[in-house]
Amino acid sequence: MAGNKREHWNSSLGFILATVGSAVGLGNIWRFPTVVVRSGGGAFVLLFLIIVIFIGVPLIMAELTLGRKSQKNIVSTFSTLAPGSKWWLVGFLAILTVFLILSFYSVIAGWALIYFLGSLFGAFAPLDTAGLTQVYGQIAGHPFLPVLGQGMFLTATVFIVISGVTRGIERWSKVLMPGILIIMIVLLGRTLLLEGAIEGVLWFLRPNLELMNLSTALDAVGQVFFSFSLGMGALLTYGSYLSPGENIPRNALLIGLSDVAIAILAGLIVVPALFVFNVEPEVGAGIVFVTLPAIFNTLPGSIIWSSLFFLMLSFAALTSSVSLLEVSVAYLVDEKKWNRTAAAGGLGILTFLVGIPSALSQGVLANRLFLGRNILDFIDFITSSIFLPLGGLLTVIFLAWIWGTNKALTEIYRGSPQFRWGRPWVFTLRFIIPLAILYIFITGFF
Ligand code: PFF
């Protein structure tokens, strides 16, 4: 049945949960609080929100519109909407990007899974910060444990993708997303009950405008791209499973706001906890794999808090990795007529093999450096800082200047005839977004 009739989401809710599932992941729970701490609290949050409105949500709309119009995978979307051109190459850039991102994303998610299992068995409960730092080094730097974690995580991802768009991705998102929200609310309640938490909340929310500068702005744009799953065809592919009656602007806004809400929720769990325990927040993996478990260990029932946290992190990563894999699976199923099982299984194995060097990058291969970065950080850097904004830039140029904004608006009006923001949206796509991305590129490189 491969390639005969395109699947469509069973319900708007299912689509929204799956798409929010793609957006919400390590980017929200791990990266966002870290970047906020580094970049000055509320100032960053405010900038982030401005960029969400002017760049994030309009780009979500753009990707969903392209996908829904073409009803095809990322490569064929470009070749169908601009026949005879070379724009399909942008589709391959996206496929390469999602493949590389999944190769290291699954490594970090694998750590989360190992930490979940370890927490369940109380392995971290007796340790203080020094002990946890050592254990983190031992786990991430172990000669095969990270590979095992990565393999288990990819197996779960492949399993969901094999089950299909509605029976796999949609159904699992309906279970996992409410699960994440419930766990987060419980953890938030726990943090806020700590004495002194309110100071952290205020620091997190109060904009200190002096701390806003160019590099904060760059960080914020990168964060929005990664967090919204933009620039690599994930939302476009999910949009291609939408039926014509769906209201794209409303859904885009809902997806953007939900992602922001979850990022802020994660910040409200992590940042006040750091304040209460007077912890100097470490940037990077440390905040999640060392600092938070250390904080949990000072609370009664630490095994429960830390298991819940790492379970939530693994769930969040899973609904994102599923969307990363689906981009290339959709291509193989649509264009090469592969069956889903072969496509997802084959790509899963390939991703696993390509990800092994990243999994070993904190241990056996720690001294293999590229541009001063270990393998995992290097792949993260080239994908997040180069391929991803480039993909976003090309997609927006394609929609606004090649395919045409009139056609895009016609597609949008099919499901939302009352949409009133057409002109500002077009203006943003034509000028603001390309200029902003170009600017980031230039300042990033020179
Ligand atoms: N948005 C995900 C996160 O914040 O963790 C990461 C991600 C998923 C990026 C899917 C790109 C993508 F296509």
Side-chain angles (χ1 to χ4, degrees):
M1 63 168 270
N4 290 342
K5 191 153 178 348
R6 195 168 194 77
E7 268 194 274
H8 285 109
W9 304 105
N10 269 335
S11 64
S12 292
L13 180 69
F15 159 70
I16 287 175
L17 289 177
T19 316
V20 173
S22 166
V24 170
L26 300 171
N28 303 59
I29 298 164
W30 170 47
R31 204 164 179 269
F32 182 75
T34 316
V35 184
V36 173
V37 167
R38 193 175 60 203
S39 313
F44 182 85
V45 179
L46 187 68
L47 249 181
F48 179 79
L49 290 178
I50 293 171
I51 294 166
V52 162
I53 303 290
F54 286 99
I55 298 187
V57 173
L59 262 179
I60 300 182
M61 272 178 67
E63 286 208 19
L64 293 181
T65 305
L66 286 168
R68 196 192 48 196
K69 173 67 191 175
S70 73
Q71 295 285 302
K72 297 225 159 70
N73 64 84
I74 177 95
V75 176
S76 319
T77 293
F78 287 104
S79 53
T80 325
L81 299 183
S85 73
K86 288 267 179 280
W87 278 92
W88 52 266
L89 283 168
V90 178
F92 279 111
L93 173 71
I95 288 190
L96 179 67
T97 310
V98 286
F99 180 71
L100 289 175
I101 291 190
L102 186 56
S103 77
F104 76 81
Y105 199 84
S106 54
V107 171
I108 302 171
W111 298 345
L113 208 53
I114 292 170
Y115 266 75
F116 165 62
L117 297 173
S119 302
L120 264 189
F121 290 102
F124 309 115
L127 303 172
D128 60 3
T129 310
L132 282 162
T133 309
Q134 206 185 357
V135 164
Y136 169 62
Q138 284 165 352
I139 291 179
H142 196 274
F144 64 79
L145 210 50
V147 180
L148 186 70
Q150 181 210 12
M152 289 192 305
F153 181 79
L154 278 173
T155 307
T157 306
V158 166
F159 168 78
I160 295 179
V161 172
I162 283 179
S163 312
V165 176
T166 50
R167 286 184 51 243
I169 302 176
E170 183 169 354
R171 201 162 61 176
W172 277 97
S173 302
K174 282 185 176 164
V175 177
L176 297 179
M177 293 314 290
I180 293 171
L181 197 62
I182 292 170
I183 297 178
M184 285 191 107
I185 290 173
V186 172
L187 289 169
L188 179 70
R190 176 65 256 191
T191 307
L192 294 185
L193 283 179
L194 297 170
E195 208 175 315
I198 199 71
E199 263 179 57
V201 172
L202 290 178
W203 183 84
F204 181 72
L205 295 178
R206 194 188 302 125
N208 178 351
L209 297 185
E210 281 162 25
L211 286 172
M212 281 207 201
N213 56 34
L214 184 65
S215 90
T216 330
L218 300 184
D219 270 356
V221 176
Q223 177 62 25
V224 170
F225 259 85
F226 191 83
S227 191
F228 279 17
S229 309
L230 289 170
M232 60 203 93
L235 296 188
L236 187 150
T237 305
Y238 276 16
S240 76
Y241 301 123
L242 271 177
S243 353
E246 283 291 338
N247 184 326
I248 289 181
R250 192 197 58 201
N251 285 339
L253 192 64
L254 212 60
I255 293 160
L257 292 182
S258 311
D259 186 73
V260 170
I262 299 230
I264 291 185
L265 208 58
L268 286 176
I269 293 170
V270 175
V271 177
L274 299 177
F275 265 70
V276 170
F277 293 94
N278 217 353
V279 178
E280 190 56 44
E282 260 189 85
V283 173
I287 225 173
V288 160
F289 294 105
V290 176
T291 313
L292 273 185
I295 292 173
F296 292 139
N297 284 351
T298 60
L299 302 173
S302 69
I303 292 183
I304 299 175
W305 302 117
S306 118
S307 308
L308 279 180
F309 179 80
F310 288 109
L311 181 66
M312 171 190 73
L313 196 61
S314 310
F315 279 176
L318 187 58
T319 49
S320 298
S321 64
V322 159
S323 72
L324 287 163
L325 186 58
E326 179 62 26
V327 173
S328 353
V329 167
Y331 168 71
L332 289 179
V333 170
D334 284 356
E335 289 311 301
K336 305 290 168 201
K337 309 297 175 216
W338 285 39
N339 77 35
R340 239 176 199 282
T341 311
L347 283 168
I349 293 172
L350 203 62
T351 312
F352 174 68
L353 295 175
V354 172
I356 288 178
S358 288
L360 299 177
S361 65
Q362 320 289 312
V364 187
L365 298 179
N367 48 11
R368 286 291 155 99
L369 299 184
F370 299 86
L371 295 180
R373 299 168 163 88
N374 68 41
I375 300 169
L376 192 154
D377 291 343
F378 177 70
I379 298 184
D380 183 3
F381 168 74
I382 49 167
T383 49
S384 307
S385 308
I386 303 176
F387 290 2
L388 209 140
L390 185 64
L393 178 66
L394 292 171
T395 307
V396 83
I397 290 179
F398 178 80
L399 190 153
W401 297 100
I402 308 290
W403 184 49
T405 46
N406 283 342
K407 290 183 194 150
L409 282 171
T410 308
E411 181 61 28
I412 285 180
Y413 290 139
R414 281 169 82 194
S416 52
Q418 71 294 14
F419 179 57
R420 302 222 180 293
W421 294 79
R423 275 164 175 250
W425 181 63
V426 166
F427 180 80
T428 311
L429 290 191
R430 285 210 162 142
F431 303 105
I432 298 187
I433 299 178
L435 289 176
I437 300 178
L438 271 178
Y439 183 66
I440 295 170
F441 255 141
I442 293 167
T443 46
F445 276 117
F446 300 106

